[in-house]
Amino acid sequence: MPDDALNIWREKLEFLQRELAVSADPSLKFQLEQQIKKAQARVTELESPSIPPPDERHSTFDVFLSHNSSDKSAIRKIGLALKKRGLTVWLDEWELVPGRPWQDALEDIIRTAKSAAVFVGSNGLGPWEEPEMRACLSEFVDRSLPVIPVLLPDAPRSPKLPLFLRQFTWVDLRRGISNEGMDRLVWGITGSKASKMPRVNRNSLRELDAVQSKESEIDSHLLSLPELYSVPNYVQGHTFMGREDELREIDTWAQGKLSILLLDAIGGNGKSALAWHWVNQHARKTIPDLAGALWWSFYEASPSMKLFVEKALAYVMQEHPSRFSRSSYRDNILTLQSELRKRPYLIVLDGFERLLWAYHRIDKSHIHDDEVDESQRSCIYDDDEQFLKQFVVSNPSKTIVTSRLVPTALEVYAGKLLTGVKRIKVEGLKPEDALSIIRDLGVLGDKRRLITFCNQFGHHPLLLRIVCGAVANYHSAPGDFNKWRVDKGTSGGGQLKLVDLELKQRRTHILAYAYDRLDAKYQIFLSRVAVLSSAVDYDTIKVLSPMHHQFSRNIS
Ligand SMILES: Nc1ncnc2c1ncn2[C@@H]1O[C@H](COP(=O)(O)OP(=O)(O)OP(=O)(O)O)[C@@H](O)[C@H]1O
Ligand SMILES: [Mg+2]
């Protein structure tokens, strides 16, 4: 992780320095210099030898999990549940340097773990049957440290335990990984009843699954192929509607020879929703021998192709990402391309415009689509440009790129795509699909007038939802489009004059209309979030919110 962090900060520093070199705007220069100072300080801090290497970071672990590797998925769940209860856990795949056999780590385990949980499942005996592991566990016994045999949900009725383990009280999880069972395990590990510890909520299994999939967002190697690895899941707030023509076209592309599909459109026109729906509902039916599928969003994750390549390699090769963070970006690109040519993977690069010059500005949260310099469609980094081109020859794998602009990497020259690239220019929704969404959002009114109004912004799905939200919240007659449209007061839609504007300006105009009508506290919240230059975690968002008291109440 520190390696990852160091690489990201080095990269950021490099980028800022390059941008400073080409920047002419004095205020932008000032901002860049400030950011460079910060990045430099962070790099120095991370490079400093006073930061202990990863192995020495955790001086102690509350528990070491000894298990059979075939029981990995249950063990991961238990490990995560223990972590959630505040315990530190030694699990081989989290702690072991990739490629290093567990036998080499035995000394560390004995030195650092305060207890050992020995798992018994249906998959036969774990490594504790082997002499080295038995010696390790005996060492725990000799040092009077707790050793807790744990029966997994699928353990046999009368499990065979080695003699020296039989003296210990076991924890029986054969009825499932319940809160009660976990309490008993925590009790065994810490020696104190777990009731004082934070409990996973009642619906423990569902929550554990959620925790697991959240972790999987970070640890690509934890997911088994061909399960979808997504960083992160696209959140589709409402039922996906329509797009039959586009979905059919994507099916045809997937069955054909072209490797890349470019879905391009202005922001909010439904590129991600369409791609996500296809990946989840169509991909496996259309490509039955799919070896794996990977969704990478450059908005939610870092806008870095380098990180994507490392995580993608960890996923397709089922290895720990740290193995690849040590290799050079170019070497990783070559390895990934060669893996993609061996078996059919599906890759989605969502929000690719973030890697293009046009969208790469310090104040990117303030860029409107109608202000973007559309000629700046090349990647900021040359390597990214070359890498994207190579997806054209990654058969049998397929890549979907969603982007607000057509990247030059996919063109021979402006307007002419590379052979191997199919483009679907995503338009607004069909009027009848737009109407289904409008009705779904609880808006009533004359069908013809509604369609004529929404036609002004091309049945753009995001704007549709914003307008429907405004109508639904219209105080005088909630949900009544006809009344809302003629009302020229502050909460009515009579002030929205779209006729004289271009499509992109109409979008900006509707967004401004919606923003102006927001409660002040939501405006403050949005303006704070807009300052962030990259994705942040939920806790940060909570702190930024003027409603954070409400946030914490809801969470507890
Ligand atoms: N077919 C659809 N059915 C229902 N809702 C949709 C549909 N398409 C898009 N939406 C909704 O419209 C909004 C914008 O869609 P989406 O996020 O896919 O846009 P985008 O083109 O990817 O935008 P950006 O360039 O900002 O990433 C989302 O809230 C999405 O849920
Ligand atoms: Mg998107």
Side-chain angles (χ1 to χ4, degrees), residues 66-84:
S66 165
H67 63 284
N68 186 315
S69 57
S70 336
D71 297 321
K72 193 62 101 201
S73 119
I75 304 300
R76 241 179 242 147
K77 236 177 218 188
I78 293 170
L80 289 167
L82 292 172
K83 276 188 172 183
K84 267 210 117 182

Side-chain angles (χ1 to χ4, degrees), residues 334-380:
L334 291 176
T335 320
L336 181 60
Q337 285 301 342
S338 111
E339 289 301 314
L340 296 182
R341 283 183 204 122
K342 283 185 201 155
R343 301 201 291 158
Y345 291 96
L346 173 67
I347 310 256
V348 183
L349 301 175
D350 182 45
F352 197 85
E353 71 275 0
R354 271 209 87 178
L355 302 193
L356 308 181
W357 277 111
Y359 278 86
H360 209 104
R361 292 215 327 231
I362 284 293
D363 57 345
K364 49 187 158 279
S365 50
H366 301 283
I367 311 175
H368 297 148
D369 270 348
D370 54 359
E371 290 170 7
V372 159
D373 180 354
E374 296 195 357
S375 61
Q376 304 285 305
R377 294 181 290 110
S378 57
C379 291
I380 299 155

Side-chain angles (χ1 to χ4, degrees), residues 234 271-272 350-351 402:
Y234 174 79
K271 304 177 289 292
S272 305
D350 182 45
T402 82

